[in-house]
Every structure is written in structure tokens, then in C-alpha cells.
């Protein structure tokens, strides 16, 4: 982690997750072997804040980019950092196939149920009834389909070895999320298969709440649907 | 056994005033102030420094890495 | 013995030649998705198992979109990587090619063209000339485009494309078609060249993302820049690079142009048909020469203009509705008459048709 001030909104979960990723890389002594792939979305500039090599991928293609890097530099720590629109919508094919092939990469998946960067539109993970600028009367299954649980899909795949859902809203949850990221990175280095670490996160700007209210909303609405914990662990 | 006393320093230029640290502090050491920084954010300030136990909760939840925590073991 | 084996003449398809040349040229990785008429590239690689010999990675991706982005990742990490596809698949890759152009990544894309638009046909065509030579994706950019006219050139251009791609940090495309891809012909494969070592890659590609070895400053591969002044500067830098390539990398071939009254301009498989057409025309007493652009971008504009100067006319023979003819007209700029002849929809013209077109359009 460097000293560059982050461009994220006040209270954004990205800052905490960036910090955890940076800490884990540092603690594992992998700063010289880590290659991150940043998405299109709010985290597009992730490369400005963590001092490792990065590639910025086209929207949704990070798992394919990571596949290309990891296959040709198998002893490097290769991970992607993606939001719900990038990973679970436009990049679903790349996500599913990279995980299913068992690429030895880790996917860090920030799920805040909304498109943050473009200004609060409906995401594949937007909850039923949740209001966004493209479902201003609330998401309706008959009109917009259902929220996608891509982490549950990942857990069913032969190629994955560790699939978990965490959050970073409290001190205890942040500590657990960090352990999960570390476990995933270690599995990637040991060649055990694909890892997916979903972080259920807030987007208080998109949700039009204060950061503190956003945490409460997440707890009350997101956690019952996106249940936290390990969905798969074969490490 | 010595009691732990803590002290925190907030980088007020960097703070965006999200208030997550205020919420996380078990001792109500920090509060959002009335002043704003150069970016226009109402930054947080230490209001009850004596009560700090150095638990670092504020620093852990801070998304922008604005808080440094110092801890000292006090003699009985 | 090895040297002799290296010069061995063998019979194979153009697609197979691409694959075998790639293994011999020290390519690090191939990512592709099956599509007719180029699937023999990945099939040959799968049969050859180069990961057991040279260590070359071969991966069948889930789509052309994934293939090109795997190439982006590998190229961004300094490796020699390539993909191949045919027209509809290459259309899907355009986003990734534009990102590679923006981030200045070297890589090789083979397009074994088929007719379009849309799903079109699986028969050969040259109708992706515009797409290949005008960038193809979004933004102001070009890729180097090499047009082989034989199985031998399919084999030879793999290494050439990589050399150019890495020299200029630019994607390079081999624009072939279903004729050259599927045709069997004798070929001498290029000599073995080992894959570069990690040290060589780090030296050749200090910009690449292979990890901050020795605590060096992080390398960032991106095409994003939100400050308009910085983005303009980046674009100007790209344009300067393109100008340098225009000055130094033009490749072409001429045949029997000196005494000719007419010039046929043709590339790739159309140039082979044109060769036969020239033979027929000369038997009839019509003096015709051939100008064959080998690099379609940079286009040999000055050279075609010089060759055509004072001739009675120029016929551009293509297997499309008239694409390269625009570049020829721009080059000749009205000084001599320029006409086009082409067949569409996967129909490959006969030499006689070209001779007839020459007579009816220019004589």
C-alpha cells in the first residue's frame, strides 16, 4: 500500500479490502512476485494504491487476462480484483470458465449489489425490491430477473478449491476477510485450484445512505440473501 | 499487570469524514468535528483522548488509512 | 543431422504451418477458440504437445473474447503469445486488440478469413481488409498486417510478426484466408529458436508485469488515462510510432512490372490467381505486371504509385467488394486509372475472370 490518497467515496469498502490485499501480499513476502489484474468499475485504479505489478483489463475480462499471465508465469501470485458488474455480468463467461478450469488464481469479488462508477445502476446482484437508477421502483423478478449468486455457482465447480463469502464492516469481519484472502493466495501459490473470495460490501453513494447506515442496510438486507462463510474448502 | 493506554493520530487532510471509525470506537474517543479539510470533508477529531485503550478498531475499519494508533503499557 | 532436418521440405496445410512454425519460433503461449477454416492451428498444436518439448502453453479458451484477453495478459507479462481465428471470431477480438494497441502490447493474431458479413460463409474471402488495416476496434490505432500468399509465408511470417510486434510494442496480424489456410503446399519450416529465458524477457521487456523483481518500480499495463492532456500525449506518441513503422517496415513484391502496360495489384491468395492471370494475358500479348503488397498496413503507397507511373491502368484484384482499391486509389491519386475486380461470398475468382476484367475495365 502506498501513500496515494484513494479516489473512492467516503466510507467505501474498497479501501479496506485494498488494505487487506496489500497487507497479505506484504506478510507473505510476495511483493516482488504478485501481479494484480484490475477491472473496469470503481476499482479500475486499484493499481495506483498497491505497489505491485498490475494489468488493467477490459470490462469483465480480468479472469482471462489473469489466466494468460498465470499460465506463462506459473510461479507468480496472480489475482483479479473485480466488482459485481464486471465479474457477475459482463464477465460471467470468463469468471465461470477460469474457475472451472481450475486456474491457480484468486478472484477477489466485491459485491455491493450496484454499479458504483457509472452512478448507481442495477447490477446482476441487486436484491429484489432494491431501488437503483435503472430499477427506480425496485428490482422486480418479472421485469429484471433474479439476483445472481455466482459464488454459489463457483462452489459447485470442480476447478475451485476455496470459495468463501466475507464482509469488511466490523473489526471481527475484517480480520476474517484477511484470513480468507491469505488462505486463497496461499492456495493459488500451491497450485491447488481456483479461489473466489467474495466480499459483501457497501456502496453508500449508490445506495444513497450514509456509510454507517449503509453498513446497517447491508447487515439487514444483504447478509440474509448473501450468507457469509466458507462455501467450499478442499485445501 | 499494566494497563494499556492508547493514543490516536488522525491524518485530517486525508480523512473523508465517513464516520466508520466513530461507530467502531468502543470508548467514544473520536467524533466528527465541525471543521472541514482542504477537500471539504468534515474530518474526525479526538474528543476523549484519555479514554483510548489502543484497540485500533478505528484504524482497522478506516477505508483510507488515516488513523495511526500508539499504545503504551502503563505501570500500576 | 539437425541442420538437415531443419531444411527438410514437407507437405502441409497453411494452418498447420502456422502451428508448427509457432513451436519452432520459441512462442510461449497460444490461446484460441475453434472456428472454420482455421481450427487446424489449435488441432495441430494439441497433437504436437509443445508443452512437453519447448514448454509452450496451448489453451483452448471459452471464446475469442477470452482468447484475446489471455493474449493481453501474457503479452503484458512480456511473453510471446499468439491467437488465431477467422473473421467472425476476429470481429469479437477487436476490443482486446484495441486494448493491446492502447497499452502497447506485442502479440500476434492470425486471421484466416472467411466471407461475411455476420456468420457469412466458411468459404475464403479477403473482406476483412478494412477491419485489419484501419485498426478494427475503437480509437486511433493501427496494427501491423502481414498478408501471406503461400504456405511457406504462413510459416515464415510467424517469426516476422513476433519480431515486428516486439520491436515496436504493437499487435501484429497475419491476414490470411481460407485458401491459404486449407491449401496443402510444400514448405520448409523455420529453424528452431529456443524460447527466451526469464532473464532475457526481463531484459527485453523491462515494462512487463512479471513481478517487481529486485524491488524495481511497479509496472502498470493499462490503456486508461482520464487527463485529456496526458491522453493526447499518449496518442501522439502512438502516432509517432506508426509514422516510424510506415517509414521502415513497408514490404511488397513486384513481378514483370518493368515492361508492363498494366499492373494488377493483389495480396494473399488473390495475388496467386493474379500471377496466373498475368501469364494468360502475356500469352495473349497483353503486358501485365504484378504488384503484391506484403504489409497491408503499413501500405506500400509510394511504391505502388511509383510502379504504376506511366502505365495504362491498374486493376486491383481482391476477393471482396473493393477494399484495398481505396488505398491504391489514394496512393495513385488519379494519375492513372484504377479499377477493381472482386468476387464475393466465398467465391474465389478464376484467372480468366481477372483477364476479362482487365480487358473490359481498362482496355
Amino acid at each position: 500500500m502506498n501513500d496515494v490518497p484513494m479516489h473512492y467515496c467516503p466510507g467505501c469498502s474498497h479501501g479496506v479490502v485494498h488494505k487487506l490485499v496489500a497487507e497479505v501480499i506484504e506478510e507473505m513476502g510476495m511483493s516482488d512476485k504478485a501481479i494484480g489484474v484490475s477491472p473496469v468499475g470503481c476499482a479500475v485504479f486499484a493499481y495506483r494504491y498497491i505497489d505491485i505489478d498490475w494489468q488493467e483489463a477490459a470490462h469483465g475480462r480480468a479472469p482471462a487476462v489473469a489466466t494468460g499471465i498465470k499460465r506463462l508465469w506459473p510461479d507468480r501470485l496472480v489475482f483479479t480484483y473485480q466488482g459485481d458488474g464486471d465479474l457477475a455480468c459482463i464477465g460471467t463467461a470468463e469468471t465461470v470458465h477460469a474457475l472451472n478450469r481450475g486456474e491457480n488464481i484468486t478472484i477477489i469479488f466485491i459485491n455491493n449489489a450496484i454499479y458504483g462508477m457509472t452512478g448507481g445502476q442495477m447490477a446482476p446482484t441487486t436484491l429484489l425490491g432494491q431501488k437503483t437508477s435503472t430499477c427506480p421502483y425496485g428490482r422486480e423478478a418479472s421485469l429484471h430477473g433474479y439476483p445472481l449468486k455466482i459464488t454459489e455457482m463457483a462452489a459447485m465447480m470442480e476447478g475451485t478449491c476455496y470459495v468463501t463469502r466475507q464482509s469488511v464492516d466490523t473489526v471481527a469481519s475484517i480480520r476474517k476477510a484477511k484470513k480468507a484472502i491469505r488462505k486463497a493466495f496461499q492456495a493459488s501459490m500451491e497450485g491447488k485450484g481456483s479461489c473466489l473470495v467474495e466480499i459483501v460490501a457497501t456502496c453508500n453513494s449508490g445506495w444513497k445512505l450514509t456509510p454507517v447506515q449503509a453498513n446497517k442496510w447491508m447487515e439487514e438486507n444483504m447478509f440474509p440473501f448473501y450468507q457469509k462463510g466458507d462455501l467450499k474448502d478442499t485445501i | 499487570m499494566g494497563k494499556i493506554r492508547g493514543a490516536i493520530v488522525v491524518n485530517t487532510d486525508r480523512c473523508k469524514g465517513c464516520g466508520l471509525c466513530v461507530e467502531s470506537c468502543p470508548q467514544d474517543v473520536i467524533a466528527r468535528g465541525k471543521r472541514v479539510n482542504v477537500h471539504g470533508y468534515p474530518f474526525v477529531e479526538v474528543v476523549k483522548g484519555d479514554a483510548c485503550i489502543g484497540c485500533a478498531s478505528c484504524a482497522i475499519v478506516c477505508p483510507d488509512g488515516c488513523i495511526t494508533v500508539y499504545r503504551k503499557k502503563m505501570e500500576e | 543431422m539437425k541442420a538437415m532436418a531443419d531444411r527438410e521440405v514437407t507437405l502441409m496445410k497453411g494452418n498447420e504451418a502456422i502451428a508448427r512454425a509457432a513451436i519452432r519460433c520459441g512462442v510461449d503461449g497460444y490461446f484460441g477458440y475453434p472456428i472454420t477454416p482455421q481450427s487446424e492451428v489449435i488441432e495441430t498444436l494439441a497433437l504436437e504437445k509443445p508443452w512437453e518439448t519447448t514448454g509452450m502453453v496451448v489453451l483452448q479458451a471459452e471464446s475469442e473474447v477470452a482468447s484475446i484477453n489471455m493474449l493481453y495478459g501474457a503479452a503484458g507479462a512480456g511473453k510471446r503469445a499468439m491467437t488465431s481465428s477467422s473473421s467472425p471470431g476476429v470481429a469479437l477480438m477487436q476490443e482486446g486488440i484495441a486494448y493491446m494497441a492502447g497499452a502497447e502490447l506485442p502479440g500476434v493474431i492470425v486471421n484466416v478469413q472467411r466471407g461475411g458479413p455476420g456468420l457469412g460463409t466458411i468459404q475464403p474471402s479477403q473482406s476483412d481488409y478494412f477491419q485489419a488495416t484501419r485498426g478494427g476496434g475503437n480509437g486511433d490505432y493501427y496494427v501491423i498486417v502481414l498478408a501471406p500468399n503461400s504456405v511457406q509465408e504462413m510459416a515464415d511470417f510467424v517469426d516476422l510478426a513476433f519480431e515486428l510486434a516486439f520491436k515496436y510494442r504493437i499487435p501484429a496480424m497475419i491476414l490470411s484466408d481460407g485458401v491459404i489456410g486449407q491449401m496443402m503446399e510444400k514448405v520448409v519450416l523455420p529453424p528452431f529458436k529456443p524460447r527466451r529465458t526469464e532473464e532475457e524477457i526481463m531484459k527485453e521487456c523491462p515494462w512487463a508485469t512479471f513481478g517487481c523483481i529486485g524491488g524495481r518500480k511497479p509496472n502498470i499495463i493499462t490503456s486508461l488515462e482520464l487527463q485529456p492532456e496526458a491522453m493526447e500525449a499518449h496518442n501522439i506518441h502512438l502516432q509517432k510510432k506508426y509514422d516510424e513503422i510506415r517509414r521502415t517496415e513497408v514490404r511488397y513484391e513486384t513481378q514483370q512490372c518493368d515492361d508492363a502496360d498494366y499492373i494488377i495489384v493483389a495480396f494473399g491468395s488473390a495475388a496467386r490467381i493474379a500471377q496466373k492471370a498475368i501469364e494468360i494475358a502475356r500469352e495473349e500479348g497483353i503486358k501485365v505486371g504484378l504488384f503484391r503488397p506484403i504489409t497491408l498496413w503499413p501500405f506500400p503507397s509510394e511504391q505502388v504509385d511509383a510502379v504504376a507511373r506511366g502505365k495504362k491502368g491498374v486493376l486491383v484484384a481482391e476477393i471482396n467488394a473493393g477494399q484495398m482499391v481505396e488505398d491504391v486509389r489514394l496512393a495513385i491519386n488519379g494519375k492513372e486509372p484504377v479499377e477493381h475486380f472482386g468476387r464475393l461470398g466465398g467465391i474465389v475468382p478464376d484467372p480468366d475472370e481477372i483477364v476479362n476484367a482487365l480487358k473490359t475495365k481498362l482496355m
Side-chain angles (χ1 to χ4, degrees):
Chain A
M1 206 77 188
N2 56 37
D3 278 340
V4 178
M6 287 188 277
H7 70 286
Y8 299 112
C9 302
C12 178
S13 308
H14 276 306
V16 178
V17 184
H18 281 17
K19 202 161 58 176
L20 298 185
V21 169
E23 283 171 8
V24 170
I25 291 171
E26 176 88 39
E27 286 163 22
M28 286 174 71
M30 297 297 289
S31 302
D32 59 346
K33 284 202 162 174
I35 301 157
V37 182
S38 71
V40 169
C42 288
V44 67
F45 288 125
Y47 55 78
R48 287 185 178 170
Y49 312 123
I50 302 174
D51 281 342
I52 54 167
D53 280 358
W54 284 92
Q55 291 197 29
E56 203 290 302
H59 200 15
R61 316 300 171 220
V65 172
T67 298
I69 303 170
K70 182 69 181 186
R71 288 273 177 150
L72 293 179
W73 290 96
D75 66 338
R76 299 305 200 260
L77 172 65
V78 182
F79 69 94
T80 72
Y81 186 105
Q82 306 171 256
D84 42 64
D86 191 87
L87 175 142
C89 202
I90 195 167
T92 312
E94 285 76 12
T95 305
V96 165
H97 286 281
L99 292 171
N100 197 48
R101 280 194 304 265
E103 298 295 338
N104 292 309
I105 59 171
T106 291
I107 293 179
I108 311 272
F109 167 32
I110 308 296
N111 177 10
N112 55 18
I114 204 157
Y115 281 78
M117 175 154 273
T118 45
Q121 294 83 9
M122 182 176 66
T125 52
T126 294
L127 297 173
L128 289 177
Q130 189 184 340
K131 290 178 181 168
T132 74
S133 66
T134 50
C135 53
Y137 307 106
R139 181 175 192 162
E140 250 180 81
S142 61
L143 202 56
H144 309 108
Y146 296 90
L148 183 62
K149 291 184 171 178
I150 205 156
T151 305
E152 273 76 358
M153 285 168 64
M156 289 177 357
M157 291 170 193
E158 297 284 338
T160 55
C161 65
Y162 180 52
V163 177
T164 186
R165 185 181 280 128
Q166 303 288 333
S167 71
V168 292
D169 52 324
T170 62
V171 172
S173 66
I174 292 169
R175 290 202 167 111
K176 277 180 79 175
K178 183 174 173 181
K179 271 192 197 139
I181 293 169
R182 187 177 177 117
K183 185 167 172 169
F185 280 3
Q186 267 164 348
S188 292
M189 288 312 294
E190 287 160 12
K192 292 186 170 164
S194 304
C195 298
L196 178 65
V197 181
E198 174 180 340
I199 310 282
V200 183
T202 62
C203 174
N204 55 76
S205 299
W207 295 356
K208 306 195 184 336
L209 297 170
T210 67
V212 174
Q213 286 168 340
N215 271 344
K216 196 159 182 305
W217 191 89
M218 174 171 69
E219 201 182 309
E220 287 168 1
N221 298 281
M222 298 273 282
F223 291 169
F225 188 75
Y226 297 114
Q227 289 184 0
K228 295 200 292 173
D230 290 350
L231 282 81
K232 181 179 186 180
D233 182 357
T234 59
I235 297 171
Chain B
M1 197 185 112
K3 204 178 152 191
I4 303 286
R5 260 213 59 185
I8 63 169
V9 176
V10 179
N11 183 338
T12 54
D13 279 348
R14 228 181 140 104
C15 174
K16 294 173 181 165
C18 72
L20 291 176
C21 55
V22 177
E23 203 66 14
S24 77
C25 178
Q27 301 290 104
D28 299 328
V29 171
I30 337 167
R32 208 166 338 176
K34 291 202 170 86
R35 294 180 294 163
V36 295
N37 63 18
V38 68
H39 305 291
Y41 289 124
F43 54 83
V44 297
E45 293 175 288
V46 178
V47 291
K48 252 168 60 183
D50 290 351
C52 181
I53 52 172
C55 71
S57 294
C58 54
I60 291 168
V61 301
C62 176
D64 290 281
C66 307
I67 302 175
T68 315
V69 183
Y70 298 93
R71 301 169 72 169
K72 192 180 177 193
K73 197 182 261 181
M74 306 300 286
E75 297 305 320
E76 285 291 328
Chain C
M1 277 307 285
K2 185 144 181 302
M4 270 181 70
D6 279 350
R7 280 197 295 275
E8 198 182 326
V9 179
T10 43
L11 186 70
M12 66 181 77
K13 280 189 175 190
N15 289 336
E16 200 186 332
I18 290 268
R20 293 187 188 280
I23 298 168
R24 295 169 78 106
C25 291
V27 173
D28 296 308
Y30 171 93
F31 306 97
Y33 185 80
I35 181 171
T36 307
Q38 67 77 49
S39 299
E40 293 85 359
V41 179
I42 188 168
E43 285 172 353
T44 304
L45 288 169
L47 262 176
E48 285 298 307
K49 296 193 281 184
W51 51 92
E52 288 181 0
T53 50
T54 70
M56 176 183 177
V57 168
V58 179
L59 182 61
Q60 181 170 335
E62 62 270 29
S63 67
E64 290 88 351
V65 176
S67 306
I68 194 72
N69 283 287
M70 290 171 184
L71 178 54
Y72 177 96
K79 297 281 186 168
R80 277 179 164 235
M82 66 184 288
T83 183
S84 65
S85 188
S86 181
S87 307
V90 177
L92 268 177
M93 291 182 183
Q94 292 303 325
E95 173 198 50
I97 299 173
Y99 273 66
M100 289 178 72
E104 296 188 83
L105 298 187
V108 173
I109 302 121
V110 181
N111 182 357
V112 183
Q113 295 171 93
R114 53 189 258 185
L119 203 48
T121 169
I122 57 169
Q123 304 299 330
S125 175
Q126 296 185 319
S127 50
D128 297 347
Y129 178 92
F130 281 152
Q131 183 203 57
T133 58
R134 267 62 176 172
N138 64 304
D140 275 321
Y141 77 91
Y142 294 96
V143 302
I144 292 175
V145 184
L146 298 168
N149 76 338
S150 63
V151 173
Q152 184 62 54
E153 283 192 347
M154 288 285 254
D156 293 343
F157 285 1
V158 175
D159 193 52
L160 175 62
F162 272 107
E163 289 300 319
L164 294 171
F166 274 79
K167 182 174 175 191
Y168 296 102
R169 282 187 66 182
I170 188 173
M173 180 177 285
I174 298 175
L175 190 70
S176 178
D177 62 53
V179 175
I180 311 283
Q182 291 297 327
M183 166 173 85
M184 286 188 91
E185 210 172 29
K186 64 178 198 270
V187 58
V188 179
L189 290 172
F192 269 106
K193 183 166 150 179
R195 290 171 58 231
R196 292 163 307 156
T197 62
E198 291 196 3
E199 289 67 32
E200 284 166 344
I201 290 169
M202 289 172 195
K203 209 174 152 209
E204 189 189 3
C205 306
W207 44 267
T209 59
F210 41 77
C212 299
I213 306 294
R216 73 137 161 79
K217 229 174 102 248
N219 283 335
I220 312 294
I221 299 295
T222 182
S223 57
L224 176 69
E225 175 53 67
L226 295 182
Q227 297 295 331
E229 294 79 9
M231 198 57 192
E232 187 184 43
H234 176 61
N235 268 280
I236 290 169
H237 158 74
L238 291 179
Q239 293 303 319
K240 280 189 179 152
K241 176 164 84 176
Y242 300 147
D243 284 342
E244 191 192 340
I245 297 170
R246 283 189 187 100
R247 276 195 305 277
T248 51
E249 301 299 348
V250 165
R251 286 169 168 77
Y252 65 99
E253 179 187 69
T254 57
Q255 284 177 21
Q256 305 179 75
C257 288
D258 292 346
D259 70 335
D261 294 321
Y262 299 93
I263 301 293
I264 295 177
V265 184
F267 70 94
S269 54
R272 293 173 71 106
I273 304 162
Q275 263 176 289
K276 184 69 189 170
I278 288 165
E279 212 176 284
I280 295 168
R282 282 188 176 261
E283 277 168 17
E284 295 181 19
I286 311 165
K287 288 182 183 167
V288 189
L290 174 71
F291 185 95
R292 175 171 80 99
I294 294 172
T295 50
L296 302 182
W297 193 90
F299 190 74
S301 301
E302 288 169 24
Q303 293 80 0
V304 77
D305 182 34
V307 167
R309 193 62 58 85
K311 306 291 185 195
K312 290 180 181 165
V314 175
L315 182 74
V316 183
E318 305 176 71
I319 312 178
N320 61 39
Q323 301 194 13
M324 183 174 69
V325 66
E326 293 194 1
D327 282 333
V328 177
R329 286 195 172 124
L330 282 169
I332 294 175
N333 203 16
K335 292 191 283 286
E336 282 82 21
V338 177
E339 295 293 341
H340 173 262
F341 173 75
R343 291 298 302 266
L344 315 175
I347 293 181
V348 178
D350 287 335
D352 288 330
E353 291 178 83
I354 296 179
V355 177
N356 284 339
L358 183 77
K359 289 179 188 167
T360 53
K361 293 182 184 222
L362 287 165
M363 294 174 72

